[in-house]
Amino acid sequence: MSVVVASRRAAPLVAAAGVFLLMASHAQAQWWKRAPVDFEECADAAEKAANKTEKTAQLADCNAKFAGRRKPGGGYSYYDFLQDRTFDIAGPNPTPEEQKKIDESYTAYLAKQRRSNEAAQATARQQREQQEQQVQQLQQVALRTEAERVPMPVERPKVQQAVGQRKGAPCTKGSFSCEWPRLSESLNELKKLFNPAPSKPAKKG
């Protein structure tokens, strides 16, 4: 009888212990699902989602919670798309010190990009100025070549008027051959004034 009584008394204790262990394991499983340690564990849990919509939403949540990605050899890496560069980090997310180094690297990256852009603009401006100078030189050469092709106008030679040449013919102004006809006419007119021609006697009827 004593053995039976003892076993009856022990049965509730064993049952209570079993229930406690089941509840503890269930709680541990629920906690594990709610708190993955990095992106990879979170993504593995998202793969078990009921449908595609829920899976996409859970993956987006994983991406927002964990910036780092697990490396094959251990540790994590963080990819900064603004710099197109990967940084090694200790945990699934950058620490404040690691984030500060990433930000400093990004500032240096921006300064380098600005210098590169300024150098490219200066080179383009220099090339444009050289092209403009070459165009101006070609235009000047073309103008000189065109001027050499067009002959300069030559003055027509003046023809001297010979003695006895017809009246109105061109002659050199001031030359004797040109002035003599006019002088001769003037002399004839003077002779007529001083030596008038005798009038003819009227005929008698």
Side-chain angles (χ1 to χ4, degrees):
M1 287 291 294
S2 59
V3 174
V4 174
V5 172
S7 63
R8 284 182 178 179
R9 290 178 179 176
L13 295 175
V14 173
V19 170
F20 176 77
L21 290 174
L22 288 174
M23 290 178 64
S25 63
H26 181 70
Q28 184 178 6
Q30 291 295 324
W31 175 85
W32 180 260
K33 290 180 180 179
R34 286 196 303 271
V37 296
D38 56 15
F39 175 81
E40 284 70 21
E41 284 189 3
C42 187
D44 289 341
E47 289 292 335
K48 301 174 183 178
N51 53 58
K52 186 176 181 181
T53 303
E54 186 177 351
K55 175 182 176 181
T56 303
Q58 290 183 12
L59 285 174
D61 186 58
C62 294
N63 192 53
K65 288 180 179 178
F66 302 104
R69 298 294 182 267
R70 193 185 299 170
K71 295 171 61 177
Y76 295 86
S77 64
Y78 170 77
Y79 173 72
D80 187 359
F81 69 93
L82 293 175
Q83 304 180 57
D84 190 20
R85 179 182 171 185
T86 301
F87 297 86
D88 289 336
I89 56 178
N93 286 306
T95 64
E97 186 65 24
E98 290 171 339
Q99 188 63 51
K100 181 180 178 181
K101 291 181 179 179
I102 293 170
D103 294 340
E104 290 174 350
S105 176
Y106 182 61
T107 302
Y109 171 80
L110 289 179
K112 182 179 179 182
Q113 287 292 104
R114 183 174 61 253
R115 289 193 299 269
S116 178
N117 292 336
E118 290 174 354
Q121 291 175 1
T123 302
R125 183 167 56 252
Q126 184 179 4
Q127 291 178 350
R128 185 169 60 251
E129 291 175 354
Q130 291 177 352
Q131 290 176 354
E132 291 176 354
Q133 291 177 358
Q134 291 176 355
V135 170
Q136 291 177 357
Q137 291 175 356
L138 290 174
Q139 289 176 348
Q140 292 175 358
V141 170
L143 289 173
R144 285 198 299 268
T145 305
E146 190 66 22
E148 291 174 357
R149 289 178 180 176
V150 177
M152 295 296 292
V154 180
E155 186 179 358
R156 294 177 62 185
K158 296 180 180 179
V159 181
Q160 295 184 352
Q161 184 181 16
V163 179
Q165 192 175 13
R166 72 180 185 274
K167 187 177 179 180
C171 62
T172 304
K173 186 177 181 182
S175 64
F176 180 76
S177 59
C178 188
E179 298 294 335
W180 172 249
R182 288 195 294 272
L183 291 173
S184 179
E185 274 184 37
S186 299
L187 289 174
N188 289 334
E189 290 178 358
L190 287 173
K191 286 180 181 180
K192 289 179 181 178
L193 288 174
F194 290 104
N195 296 317
S199 60
K200 293 183 180 180
K203 292 183 179 180
K204 295 181 180 181

